[in-house]
Amino acid sequence: MKKYSIIIFLVLQYCFTHALHAQEISAFAGPQGIWVSSGRTAQPGAQVQRRESGKEWQTIGNFAAPRNSTQFIAAYHSVSMAAAPPETVADEYLNRIWQRFSASHAIDSLSFYREHLQVLAAAGAAYFDADAQKGIRYEYRLSTAGISTNAAGPVSYPEGPDQRAKIRPLMIQPAREGVYIEFEIEQPGDMQSAHIYRSYYLRSNAEHIHPLVTYSRRGDRLYAAFTDYTATPKVPYVYTLVPVDAAGNEGKASEPATLFHVPQSSIQPSVRHLTAVSQEAKRAIHLSWLPPATADVVSVEVYRGDQYSGAYRRIASLSPSDSVYDDFEVEPITTYYYAIALNGSYEQSVNTPRVPGILRATDANLAPPRNVHVQLEGNVTVVSWDTASEPCRGFFVYRGDGYNGPMQKITTLIINSGVYQYRDTLPYNSQPRIYSYALSDENTSYNESPLSERFSVQKDGGQLTIPDDITVLAADEDAVQVMWPDNRNTTGADGYVLFRSELNTDGEAIGKARQIRLKNSYYLDKEIETGKTYAYSVSVVNGDKTGSPSAVHRYTRTPEKPLPVSDIMATEQDGTVAITWNLPIGVSLKKVYLLRGTAGKSPEQIAALGPAEAAYTDKQVKRGERYYYSFVTESENGVMSEATTPMSIRLQE
């Protein structure tokens, strides 16, 4: 039996070695470096090796496999910044790619994206060599557990443009909204996307513009089309379409598409004698003008703005023969500004001079709000009512002292939203006091009604209130902010007393609480030590009288945990386990602890490493066993991080 086991192992090892040697990888140049791709198959952990002619192979990186969508999207954007690709993909679409990739167990789950190198690199099926030197030819291969693929190359960057693409302009058509251009792609070559360049006719220095390019197929022919919304009317332009391959290399430019003919202005500047008149009977502003005397006008556009120099929006599109328009969407005593423009087949006229219009107020307002009701709830008077006039813009609340004191308006206009209630917070008084309320409303003609009948409430004198809703927050590394609502205006208080004490481990105060007199409703405590607990409460002060303290709020300054290591990778090497990781950036560490566990057993520490070490070889392992590795970091002040998610590996027998 042992003899047969050895034979099976040798056969499997031969098959794996043969399969890796037979795998084809690709290496090709981009504008900023060289891409290495394994095609549709992800190779997480595979080392990427490079060599110049006549030199030794060097490991320059590896195919990194993301564990979640966040790492996948971050890896995509990282390689995109380095490689300067022809186009990028939105995060929402990247999430869908990750869901498709992570949910599939087939090795060709990336086949749909085999021409999108950033996606392959983020998924662990490609690598971008940004350190390659221009003009030097390199060979590349992949290596896993000491077994290497066939070499790809030699290749250098930048490479010359792809001469196989054949593209010709098919249509260029001016329109009112821009210029529409269509190209026929007779031979795409390596084309994956396109760059659009525009220049003035008989001028050099073409600029790269970024319209939305759409691709379509009619029969067996492929077309690319776009609309240039930034073109200036009556200016001749030259457009070229340049094919771009998957690595971002530009190919041979298309034949130029030249725009010469734009129809000359065939419509007059605009209409004449625009006027805006108030028509109270219709409750509208009546616009009139002299219609245009040309047959080339397609429509008459009416615009309105709330400010003379502000934004205007189109409120009507009329036929060329119309000469009047009634604007019913207006409020009385509000100034509006109007302008008119004419639309032709290929252009729009300039606007008319802006004309003001205002609908005069005509509706009297004789009835105040009805069914007024007042009710005292603690320190707040709740006033409710029903509306009497329609349409009604809003309401005003009046309040007076005593039963017959003069009424004072205590609110701005309360907009009519269908909720007829107002809550009035009364000032603090030590003696009983009478308050009276009345209401008025305002109609859409901005006329205010008479006051309603007066209604009164009596408020008793009371004790000093107890502060509530106290918040204790960390301000910085050695300070705490204590805050609470400032109710001095409603309680008659003239300040506060903050009680501060330090607590022992049993939650008891150490010594007598310190009293801090404050004018404001906040305090910044700068005498905070890490690991200690502090207690705070607040009382209201009025002269020499101090109210009852609030509930006690506690705060403990806990030390921040350091960040753990990341990107942990474990590989088998000759019966041992080689472990690598990345240290957290910008964190001062004291130690890095490596823990190892097996199935059904708690992990145990097997190594205490220095803060700069990023690799370890575990030799105390057995073949056929599965091990779980995790890390804990220790900061310089002795605080331990959370343990990392265990990384598992099973050694071959």
Side-chain angles (χ1 to χ4, degrees):
M1 179 63 67
K2 182 176 180 182
K3 177 180 179 181
Y4 289 115
S5 298
I6 295 174
I7 293 174
I8 293 173
F9 171 74
L10 293 175
V11 169
L12 291 175
Q13 185 180 38
Y14 169 79
C15 292
F16 173 74
T17 305
H18 180 73
L20 189 60
H21 276 298
Q23 180 180 345
E24 294 294 332
I25 67 169
S26 302
F28 40 89
Q32 304 293 334
I34 298 176
W35 286 95
V36 181
S37 171
S38 64
R40 66 186 186 180
T41 306
Q43 297 286 343
Q47 294 180 339
V48 181
Q49 295 182 340
R50 180 188 72 192
R51 74 175 178 183
E52 298 179 37
S53 176
K55 295 186 178 181
E56 296 294 329
W57 288 99
Q58 293 182 343
T59 299
I60 59 172
N62 54 43
F63 281 9
R67 298 188 183 91
N68 50 51
S69 62
T70 301
Q71 292 184 2
F72 177 74
I73 293 173
Y76 175 88
H77 289 300
S78 177
V79 73
S80 294
M81 292 178 61
E87 57 184 4
T88 56
V89 176
D91 287 358
E92 179 181 359
Y93 186 55
L94 290 174
N95 264 319
R96 293 201 293 269
I97 296 176
W98 167 256
Q99 292 169 6
R100 174 177 177 177
F101 171 54
S102 60
S104 174
H105 297 286
I107 64 171
D108 63 347
S109 60
L110 290 171
S111 61
F112 182 76
Y113 311 102
R114 59 183 178 273
E115 301 297 343
H116 205 307
L117 296 174
Q118 305 100 278
V119 172
L120 295 182
Y127 179 83
F128 181 69
D129 184 7
D131 298 326
Q133 301 296 316
K134 289 185 178 181
I136 298 179
R137 300 181 66 79
Y138 297 98
E139 290 182 294
Y140 294 88
R141 70 180 184 184
L142 301 182
S143 177
T144 303
I147 303 173
S148 302
T149 64
N150 295 326
V155 63
S156 64
Y157 85 99
E159 64 180 13
D162 178 16
Q163 301 292 335
R164 294 177 296 165
K166 186 177 181 181
I167 305 170
R168 68 181 183 89
L170 191 65
M171 178 188 301
I172 182 163
Q173 178 179 330
R176 186 172 64 229
E177 65 274 11
V179 178
Y180 176 80
I181 302 102
E182 186 174 79
F183 290 86
E184 180 182 354
I185 305 172
E186 297 179 344
Q187 296 179 11
D190 292 333
M191 178 179 176
Q192 293 297 320
S193 62
H195 289 167
I196 307 300
Y197 290 89
R198 182 186 69 189
S199 65
Y200 296 109
Y201 181 62
L202 297 180
R203 302 279 186 90
S204 57
N205 300 326
E207 63 173 331
H208 184 191
I209 62 175
H210 302 274
L212 175 63
V213 181
T214 58
Y215 300 90
S216 61
R217 186 177 293 278
R218 299 194 290 272
D220 60 348
R221 296 181 180 274
L222 180 64
Y223 301 90
F226 62 91
T227 299
D228 182 8
Y229 294 100
T230 63
T232 303
K234 307 180 185 63
V235 174
Y237 291 105
V238 176
Y239 295 87
T240 54
L241 184 148
V242 178
V244 181
D245 64 16
N249 299 301
E250 290 189 339
K252 179 183 177 182
S254 70
E255 299 176 13
T258 306
L259 174 67
F260 290 109
H261 176 67
V262 176
Q264 296 297 319
S265 176
S266 58
I267 59 176
Q268 60 192 50
S270 191
V271 301
R272 294 176 293 129
H273 303 301
L274 174 63
T275 60
V277 179
S278 173
Q279 289 193 347
E280 294 80 19
K282 293 183 177 181
R283 302 187 64 85
I285 297 177
H286 178 74
L287 304 178
S288 63
W289 60 89
L290 292 179
T294 176
D296 294 327
V297 175
V298 175
S299 63
V300 176
E301 311 293 326
V302 182
Y303 294 86
R304 185 184 71 192
D306 297 330
Q307 297 180 358
Y308 182 83
S309 299
Y312 284 68
R313 68 179 183 91
R314 186 177 64 182
I315 60 173
S317 182
L318 310 174
S319 68
S321 60
D322 288 332
S323 60
V324 295
Y325 177 76
D326 290 328
D327 185 9
F328 295 95
E329 301 296 326
V330 292
E331 297 288 341
I333 321 300
T334 300
T335 302
Y336 300 94
Y337 298 91
Y338 297 90
I340 288 181
L342 304 179
N343 277 335
S345 299
Y346 297 105
E347 61 182 331
Q348 185 178 66
S349 73
V350 296
N351 294 335
T352 61
R354 287 160 282 192
V355 174
I358 185 170
L359 177 62
R360 289 193 290 267
T362 57
D363 297 335
N365 192 0
L366 304 178
R370 299 176 289 108
N371 300 331
V372 178
H373 177 73
V374 295
Q375 180 178 349
L376 189 64
E377 296 180 356
N379 200 44
V380 176
T381 302
V382 180
V383 186
S384 58
W385 64 92
D386 292 333
T387 182
S389 59
E390 289 291 348
C392 174
R393 292 188 66 247
F395 309 90
F396 297 102
V397 179
Y398 289 77
R399 186 181 70 196
D401 291 333
Y403 293 107
N404 301 309
M407 304 296 287
Q408 302 290 332
K409 186 183 294 185
I410 62 173
T411 68
T412 58
L413 182 68
I414 302 173
I415 299 300
N416 182 10
S417 62
V419 179
Y420 305 133
Q421 188 182 88
Y422 176 74
R423 301 178 67 86
D424 180 30
T425 302
L426 298 173
Y428 170 82
N429 292 289
S430 59
Q431 300 297 325
R433 195 166 181 176
I434 302 296
Y435 295 96
S436 296
Y437 293 88
L439 281 92
S440 68
D441 61 27
E442 183 177 280
N443 64 12
T444 55
S445 292
Y446 292 79
N447 290 322
E448 186 177 351
S449 72
L451 291 181
S452 67
E453 184 182 353
R454 295 171 66 125
F455 296 85
S456 303
V457 295
Q458 177 177 335
K459 181 179 181 297
D460 297 331
Q463 300 296 319
L464 294 177
T465 61
I466 299 175
D468 59 359
D469 197 18
I470 297 174
T471 303
V472 182
L473 298 172
D476 53 36
E477 294 184 356
D478 55 358
V480 168
Q481 181 82 42
V482 186
M483 301 176 291
W484 59 93
D486 190 0
N487 56 3
R488 286 174 295 171
N489 294 334
T490 58
T491 61
D494 56 13
Y496 304 93
V497 170
L498 175 72
F499 298 90
R500 177 195 184 276
S501 57
E502 182 182 333
L503 306 182
N504 58 24
T505 55
D506 296 327
E508 300 174 348
I510 301 175
K512 187 177 181 180
R514 186 169 52 155
Q515 300 183 21
I516 305 170
R517 184 69 180 262
L518 302 168
K519 284 289 185 182
N520 300 313
S521 60
Y522 57 86
Y523 177 70
L524 184 64
D525 190 354
K526 298 182 179 180
E527 301 176 8
I528 299 296
E529 296 183 21
T530 300
K532 293 186 177 181
T533 301
Y534 301 87
Y536 303 91
S537 63
V538 180
S539 292
V540 173
V541 175
N542 186 19
D544 57 355
K545 185 178 180 181
T546 301
S548 300
S550 68
V552 175
H553 292 260
R554 300 184 179 186
Y555 178 82
T556 303
R557 170 71 75 183
T558 57
E560 293 186 0
K561 294 183 178 181
L563 295 173
V565 303
S566 60
D567 298 330
I568 304 168
M569 184 170 295
T571 56
E572 180 182 353
Q573 291 186 357
D574 299 330
T576 65
V577 178
I579 309 168
T580 61
W581 60 90
N582 288 336
L583 296 168
I585 299 175
V587 178
S588 297
L589 299 179
K590 180 180 179 181
K591 287 287 185 180
V592 176
Y593 298 98
L594 174 60
L595 292 82
R596 183 186 66 199
T598 55
K601 295 183 180 180
S602 300
E604 297 180 353
Q605 178 182 321
I606 62 171
L609 307 171
E613 296 185 60
Y616 180 81
T617 299
D618 185 6
K619 300 179 181 179
Q620 305 300 318
V621 292
K622 298 179 181 179
R623 293 186 180 274
E625 291 287 335
R626 180 174 293 278
Y627 296 94
Y628 299 86
Y629 295 93
S630 58
F631 288 81
V632 174
T633 58
E634 180 183 4
S635 66
E636 291 184 339
N637 56 2
V639 180
M640 298 293 187
S641 73
E642 298 289 343
T644 61
T645 302
M647 164 69 72
S648 70
I649 182 173
R650 183 179 183 276
L651 275 68
Q652 296 181 356
E653 295 183 359

PDB file of all heavy atoms in Angstrom, residues 252-277:
ATOM      1  N   LYS A 252      -3.545  53.899 -34.480  1.00  0.00           N
ATOM      2  CA  LYS A 252      -3.540  54.782 -35.636  1.00  0.00           C
ATOM      3  C   LYS A 252      -4.832  55.579 -35.679  1.00  0.00           C
ATOM      4  O   LYS A 252      -5.922  55.029 -35.599  1.00  0.00           O
ATOM      5  CB  LYS A 252      -3.376  53.953 -36.917  1.00  0.00           C
ATOM      6  CG  LYS A 252      -3.378  54.769 -38.196  1.00  0.00           C
ATOM      7  CD  LYS A 252      -3.288  53.849 -39.404  1.00  0.00           C
ATOM      8  CE  LYS A 252      -3.357  54.655 -40.706  1.00  0.00           C
ATOM      9  NZ  LYS A 252      -3.312  53.759 -41.889  1.00  0.00           N
ATOM     10  N   ALA A 253      -4.709  56.901 -35.833  1.00  0.00           N
ATOM     11  CA  ALA A 253      -5.880  57.773 -35.822  1.00  0.00           C
ATOM     12  C   ALA A 253      -6.716  57.556 -37.078  1.00  0.00           C
ATOM     13  O   ALA A 253      -6.222  57.133 -38.133  1.00  0.00           O
ATOM     14  CB  ALA A 253      -5.461  59.234 -35.720  1.00  0.00           C
ATOM     15  N   SER A 254      -8.009  57.852 -36.964  1.00  0.00           N
ATOM     16  CA  SER A 254      -8.911  57.743 -38.108  1.00  0.00           C
ATOM     17  C   SER A 254      -8.648  58.872 -39.103  1.00  0.00           C
ATOM     18  O   SER A 254      -7.899  59.815 -38.838  1.00  0.00           O
ATOM     19  CB  SER A 254     -10.354  57.825 -37.634  1.00  0.00           C
ATOM     20  OG  SER A 254     -10.637  59.152 -37.188  1.00  0.00           O
ATOM     21  N   GLU A 255      -9.281  58.757 -40.239  1.00  0.00           N
ATOM     22  CA  GLU A 255      -9.291  59.886 -41.164  1.00  0.00           C
ATOM     23  C   GLU A 255     -10.054  61.035 -40.517  1.00  0.00           C
ATOM     24  O   GLU A 255     -10.990  60.810 -39.749  1.00  0.00           O
ATOM     25  CB  GLU A 255      -9.966  59.476 -42.477  1.00  0.00           C
ATOM     26  CG  GLU A 255      -9.272  58.332 -43.202  1.00  0.00           C
ATOM     27  CD  GLU A 255     -10.050  57.908 -44.436  1.00  0.00           C
ATOM     28  OE1 GLU A 255     -10.959  58.653 -44.846  1.00  0.00           O
ATOM     29  OE2 GLU A 255      -9.761  56.830 -44.976  1.00  0.00           O
ATOM     30  N   PRO A 256      -9.686  62.299 -40.781  1.00  0.00           N
ATOM     31  CA  PRO A 256     -10.342  63.422 -40.097  1.00  0.00           C
ATOM     32  C   PRO A 256     -11.774  63.625 -40.587  1.00  0.00           C
ATOM     33  O   PRO A 256     -12.082  63.411 -41.755  1.00  0.00           O
ATOM     34  CB  PRO A 256      -9.455  64.615 -40.437  1.00  0.00           C
ATOM     35  CG  PRO A 256      -8.797  64.235 -41.723  1.00  0.00           C
ATOM     36  CD  PRO A 256      -8.587  62.754 -41.669  1.00  0.00           C
ATOM     37  N   ALA A 257     -12.629  64.040 -39.655  1.00  0.00           N
ATOM     38  CA  ALA A 257     -14.002  64.455 -39.980  1.00  0.00           C
ATOM     39  C   ALA A 257     -14.066  65.962 -39.814  1.00  0.00           C
ATOM     40  O   ALA A 257     -13.853  66.477 -38.715  1.00  0.00           O
ATOM     41  CB  ALA A 257     -15.005  63.762 -39.065  1.00  0.00           C
ATOM     42  N   THR A 258     -14.335  66.684 -40.903  1.00  0.00           N
ATOM     43  CA  THR A 258     -14.279  68.150 -40.905  1.00  0.00           C
ATOM     44  C   THR A 258     -15.678  68.722 -40.997  1.00  0.00           C
ATOM     45  O   THR A 258     -16.486  68.305 -41.833  1.00  0.00           O
ATOM     46  CB  THR A 258     -13.437  68.660 -42.082  1.00  0.00           C
ATOM     47  OG1 THR A 258     -12.152  68.036 -42.030  1.00  0.00           O
ATOM     48  CG2 THR A 258     -13.269  70.164 -42.009  1.00  0.00           C
ATOM     49  N   LEU A 259     -15.964  69.664 -40.086  1.00  0.00           N
ATOM     50  CA  LEU A 259     -17.251  70.357 -40.070  1.00  0.00           C
ATOM     51  C   LEU A 259     -17.062  71.740 -40.678  1.00  0.00           C
ATOM     52  O   LEU A 259     -16.405  72.592 -40.100  1.00  0.00           O
ATOM     53  CB  LEU A 259     -17.771  70.473 -38.628  1.00  0.00           C
ATOM     54  CG  LEU A 259     -19.032  71.296 -38.442  1.00  0.00           C
ATOM     55  CD1 LEU A 259     -20.215  70.607 -39.112  1.00  0.00           C
ATOM     56  CD2 LEU A 259     -19.322  71.503 -36.964  1.00  0.00           C
ATOM     57  N   PHE A 260     -17.637  71.964 -41.881  1.00  0.00           N
ATOM     58  CA  PHE A 260     -17.529  73.262 -42.544  1.00  0.00           C
ATOM     59  C   PHE A 260     -18.838  74.041 -42.459  1.00  0.00           C
ATOM     60  O   PHE A 260     -18.856  75.210 -42.131  1.00  0.00           O
ATOM     61  CB  PHE A 260     -17.181  73.075 -44.030  1.00  0.00           C
ATOM     62  CG  PHE A 260     -15.789  72.581 -44.259  1.00  0.00           C
ATOM     63  CD1 PHE A 260     -15.549  71.295 -44.703  1.00  0.00           C
ATOM     64  CD2 PHE A 260     -14.703  73.406 -43.993  1.00  0.00           C
ATOM     65  CE1 PHE A 260     -14.265  70.840 -44.913  1.00  0.00           C
ATOM     66  CE2 PHE A 260     -13.412  72.952 -44.192  1.00  0.00           C
ATOM     67  CZ  PHE A 260     -13.191  71.674 -44.661  1.00  0.00           C
ATOM     68  N   HIS A 261     -19.951  73.393 -42.776  1.00  0.00           N
ATOM     69  CA  HIS A 261     -21.177  74.125 -43.037  1.00  0.00           C
ATOM     70  C   HIS A 261     -22.049  74.199 -41.791  1.00  0.00           C
ATOM     71  O   HIS A 261     -22.473  73.188 -41.258  1.00  0.00           O
ATOM     72  CB  HIS A 261     -21.969  73.458 -44.160  1.00  0.00           C
ATOM     73  CG  HIS A 261     -23.298  74.111 -44.418  1.00  0.00           C
ATOM     74  ND1 HIS A 261     -23.418  75.374 -44.918  1.00  0.00           N
ATOM     75  CD2 HIS A 261     -24.555  73.653 -44.217  1.00  0.00           C
ATOM     76  CE1 HIS A 261     -24.696  75.675 -45.034  1.00  0.00           C
ATOM     77  NE2 HIS A 261     -25.409  74.650 -44.612  1.00  0.00           N
ATOM     78  N   VAL A 262     -22.293  75.393 -41.315  1.00  0.00           N
ATOM     79  CA  VAL A 262     -23.307  75.654 -40.308  1.00  0.00           C
ATOM     80  C   VAL A 262     -24.211  76.727 -40.891  1.00  0.00           C
ATOM     81  O   VAL A 262     -23.721  77.769 -41.326  1.00  0.00           O
ATOM     82  CB  VAL A 262     -22.701  76.140 -38.972  1.00  0.00           C
ATOM     83  CG1 VAL A 262     -23.788  76.502 -37.997  1.00  0.00           C
ATOM     84  CG2 VAL A 262     -21.814  75.048 -38.395  1.00  0.00           C
ATOM     85  N   PRO A 263     -25.511  76.523 -40.952  1.00  0.00           N
ATOM     86  CA  PRO A 263     -26.378  77.524 -41.582  1.00  0.00           C
ATOM     87  C   PRO A 263     -26.194  78.901 -40.967  1.00  0.00           C
ATOM     88  O   PRO A 263     -26.053  79.042 -39.754  1.00  0.00           O
ATOM     89  CB  PRO A 263     -27.786  76.971 -41.314  1.00  0.00           C
ATOM     90  CG  PRO A 263     -27.590  75.514 -41.117  1.00  0.00           C
ATOM     91  CD  PRO A 263     -26.263  75.361 -40.464  1.00  0.00           C
ATOM     92  N   GLN A 264     -26.201  79.891 -41.769  1.00  0.00           N
ATOM     93  CA  GLN A 264     -26.104  81.261 -41.292  1.00  0.00           C
ATOM     94  C   GLN A 264     -27.368  81.608 -40.506  1.00  0.00           C
ATOM     95  O   GLN A 264     -28.413  80.968 -40.650  1.00  0.00           O
ATOM     96  CB  GLN A 264     -25.940  82.223 -42.469  1.00  0.00           C
ATOM     97  CG  GLN A 264     -24.666  82.010 -43.242  1.00  0.00           C
ATOM     98  CD  GLN A 264     -23.435  82.280 -42.383  1.00  0.00           C
ATOM     99  OE1 GLN A 264     -23.409  83.232 -41.621  1.00  0.00           O
ATOM    100  NE2 GLN A 264     -22.442  81.425 -42.510  1.00  0.00           N
ATOM    101  N   SER A 265     -27.255  82.630 -39.682  1.00  0.00           N
ATOM    102  CA  SER A 265     -28.392  83.038 -38.874  1.00  0.00           C
ATOM    103  C   SER A 265     -29.562  83.388 -39.777  1.00  0.00           C
ATOM    104  O   SER A 265     -29.450  84.222 -40.667  1.00  0.00           O
ATOM    105  CB  SER A 265     -28.012  84.242 -38.004  1.00  0.00           C
ATOM    106  OG  SER A 265     -29.128  84.688 -37.284  1.00  0.00           O
ATOM    107  N   SER A 266     -30.672  82.676 -39.563  1.00  0.00           N
ATOM    108  CA  SER A 266     -31.836  82.893 -40.409  1.00  0.00           C
ATOM    109  C   SER A 266     -33.018  83.442 -39.635  1.00  0.00           C
ATOM    110  O   SER A 266     -34.104  83.574 -40.184  1.00  0.00           O
ATOM    111  CB  SER A 266     -32.234  81.570 -41.073  1.00  0.00           C
ATOM    112  OG  SER A 266     -32.511  80.602 -40.088  1.00  0.00           O
ATOM    113  N   ILE A 267     -32.813  83.728 -38.326  1.00  0.00           N
ATOM    114  CA  ILE A 267     -33.898  84.292 -37.539  1.00  0.00           C
ATOM    115  C   ILE A 267     -33.421  85.595 -36.925  1.00  0.00           C
ATOM    116  O   ILE A 267     -32.234  85.801 -36.671  1.00  0.00           O
ATOM    117  CB  ILE A 267     -34.349  83.316 -36.436  1.00  0.00           C
ATOM    118  CG1 ILE A 267     -33.198  82.974 -35.498  1.00  0.00           C
ATOM    119  CG2 ILE A 267     -34.919  82.051 -37.040  1.00  0.00           C
ATOM    120  CD1 ILE A 267     -33.612  82.101 -34.337  1.00  0.00           C
ATOM    121  N   GLN A 268     -34.368  86.491 -36.701  1.00  0.00           N
ATOM    122  CA  GLN A 268     -34.039  87.790 -36.126  1.00  0.00           C
ATOM    123  C   GLN A 268     -33.667  87.600 -34.661  1.00  0.00           C
ATOM    124  O   GLN A 268     -33.933  86.542 -34.088  1.00  0.00           O
ATOM    125  CB  GLN A 268     -35.232  88.732 -36.259  1.00  0.00           C
ATOM    126  CG  GLN A 268     -36.484  88.222 -35.560  1.00  0.00           C
ATOM    127  CD  GLN A 268     -37.716  89.018 -35.948  1.00  0.00           C
ATOM    128  OE1 GLN A 268     -37.990  89.236 -37.116  1.00  0.00           O
ATOM    129  NE2 GLN A 268     -38.445  89.472 -34.959  1.00  0.00           N
ATOM    130  N   PRO A 269     -33.032  88.597 -34.041  1.00  0.00           N
ATOM    131  CA  PRO A 269     -32.558  88.405 -32.670  1.00  0.00           C
ATOM    132  C   PRO A 269     -33.634  87.886 -31.728  1.00  0.00           C
ATOM    133  O   PRO A 269     -33.396  86.975 -30.962  1.00  0.00           O
ATOM    134  CB  PRO A 269     -32.070  89.785 -32.276  1.00  0.00           C
ATOM    135  CG  PRO A 269     -31.657  90.408 -33.563  1.00  0.00           C
ATOM    136  CD  PRO A 269     -32.606  89.881 -34.595  1.00  0.00           C
ATOM    137  N   SER A 270     -34.849  88.397 -31.745  1.00  0.00           N
ATOM    138  CA  SER A 270     -35.924  87.900 -30.904  1.00  0.00           C
ATOM    139  C   SER A 270     -37.180  88.687 -31.210  1.00  0.00           C
ATOM    140  O   SER A 270     -37.215  89.469 -32.165  1.00  0.00           O
ATOM    141  CB  SER A 270     -35.549  88.022 -29.425  1.00  0.00           C
ATOM    142  OG  SER A 270     -36.472  87.311 -28.625  1.00  0.00           O
ATOM    143  N   VAL A 271     -38.237  88.461 -30.394  1.00  0.00           N
ATOM    144  CA  VAL A 271     -39.472  89.214 -30.588  1.00  0.00           C
ATOM    145  C   VAL A 271     -39.271  90.652 -30.118  1.00  0.00           C
ATOM    146  O   VAL A 271     -38.298  90.980 -29.441  1.00  0.00           O
ATOM    147  CB  VAL A 271     -40.630  88.550 -29.823  1.00  0.00           C
ATOM    148  CG1 VAL A 271     -40.832  87.130 -30.285  1.00  0.00           C
ATOM    149  CG2 VAL A 271     -40.365  88.577 -28.318  1.00  0.00           C
ATOM    150  N   ARG A 272     -40.257  91.491 -30.440  1.00  0.00           N
ATOM    151  CA  ARG A 272     -40.176  92.910 -30.068  1.00  0.00           C
ATOM    152  C   ARG A 272     -41.356  93.297 -29.187  1.00  0.00           C
ATOM    153  O   ARG A 272     -42.400  92.657 -29.207  1.00  0.00           O
ATOM    154  CB  ARG A 272     -40.148  93.779 -31.329  1.00  0.00           C
ATOM    155  CG  ARG A 272     -38.892  93.587 -32.173  1.00  0.00           C
ATOM    156  CD  ARG A 272     -38.961  94.389 -33.470  1.00  0.00           C
ATOM    157  NE  ARG A 272     -39.984  93.888 -34.376  1.00  0.00           N
ATOM    158  CZ  ARG A 272     -40.910  94.638 -34.945  1.00  0.00           C
ATOM    159  NH1 ARG A 272     -40.946  95.934 -34.697  1.00  0.00           N
ATOM    160  NH2 ARG A 272     -41.807  94.116 -35.763  1.00  0.00           N
ATOM    161  N   HIS A 273     -41.150  94.352 -28.408  1.00  0.00           N
ATOM    162  CA  HIS A 273     -42.210  94.959 -27.587  1.00  0.00           C
ATOM    163  C   HIS A 273     -42.827  93.965 -26.606  1.00  0.00           C
ATOM    164  O   HIS A 273     -44.046  93.813 -26.527  1.00  0.00           O
ATOM    165  CB  HIS A 273     -43.301  95.569 -28.475  1.00  0.00           C
ATOM    166  CG  HIS A 273     -42.788  96.592 -29.435  1.00  0.00           C
ATOM    167  ND1 HIS A 273     -42.124  97.734 -29.029  1.00  0.00           N
ATOM    168  CD2 HIS A 273     -42.832  96.636 -30.789  1.00  0.00           C
ATOM    169  CE1 HIS A 273     -41.773  98.446 -30.090  1.00  0.00           C
ATOM    170  NE2 HIS A 273     -42.192  97.805 -31.182  1.00  0.00           N
ATOM    171  N   LEU A 274     -41.975  93.270 -25.839  1.00  0.00           N
ATOM    172  CA  LEU A 274     -42.464  92.366 -24.806  1.00  0.00           C
ATOM    173  C   LEU A 274     -42.966  93.183 -23.621  1.00  0.00           C
ATOM    174  O   LEU A 274     -42.249  94.046 -23.093  1.00  0.00           O
ATOM    175  CB  LEU A 274     -41.351  91.417 -24.357  1.00  0.00           C
ATOM    176  CG  LEU A 274     -41.663  90.493 -23.171  1.00  0.00           C
ATOM    177  CD1 LEU A 274     -42.796  89.536 -23.512  1.00  0.00           C
ATOM    178  CD2 LEU A 274     -40.412  89.727 -22.750  1.00  0.00           C
ATOM    179  N   THR A 275     -44.202  92.907 -23.151  1.00  0.00           N
ATOM    180  CA  THR A 275     -44.787  93.603 -21.999  1.00  0.00           C
ATOM    181  C   THR A 275     -45.371  92.580 -21.044  1.00  0.00           C
ATOM    182  O   THR A 275     -45.766  91.470 -21.446  1.00  0.00           O
ATOM    183  CB  THR A 275     -45.890  94.580 -22.426  1.00  0.00           C
ATOM    184  OG1 THR A 275     -46.925  93.861 -23.102  1.00  0.00           O
ATOM    185  CG2 THR A 275     -45.339  95.654 -23.347  1.00  0.00           C
ATOM    186  N   ALA A 276     -45.445  92.939 -19.738  1.00  0.00           N
ATOM    187  CA  ALA A 276     -46.027  92.091 -18.690  1.00  0.00           C
ATOM    188  C   ALA A 276     -46.995  92.937 -17.885  1.00  0.00           C
ATOM    189  O   ALA A 276     -46.598  93.941 -17.272  1.00  0.00           O
ATOM    190  CB  ALA A 276     -44.940  91.514 -17.797  1.00  0.00           C
ATOM    191  N   VAL A 277     -48.281  92.560 -17.882  1.00  0.00           N
ATOM    192  CA  VAL A 277     -49.337  93.358 -17.258  1.00  0.00           C
ATOM    193  C   VAL A 277     -50.084  92.492 -16.255  1.00  0.00           C
ATOM    194  O   VAL A 277     -50.402  91.325 -16.539  1.00  0.00           O
ATOM    195  CB  VAL A 277     -50.311  93.907 -18.326  1.00  0.00           C
ATOM    196  CG1 VAL A 277     -51.426  94.713 -17.659  1.00  0.00           C
ATOM    197  CG2 VAL A 277     -49.567  94.759 -19.341  1.00  0.00           C
TER     198      VAL A 277
END
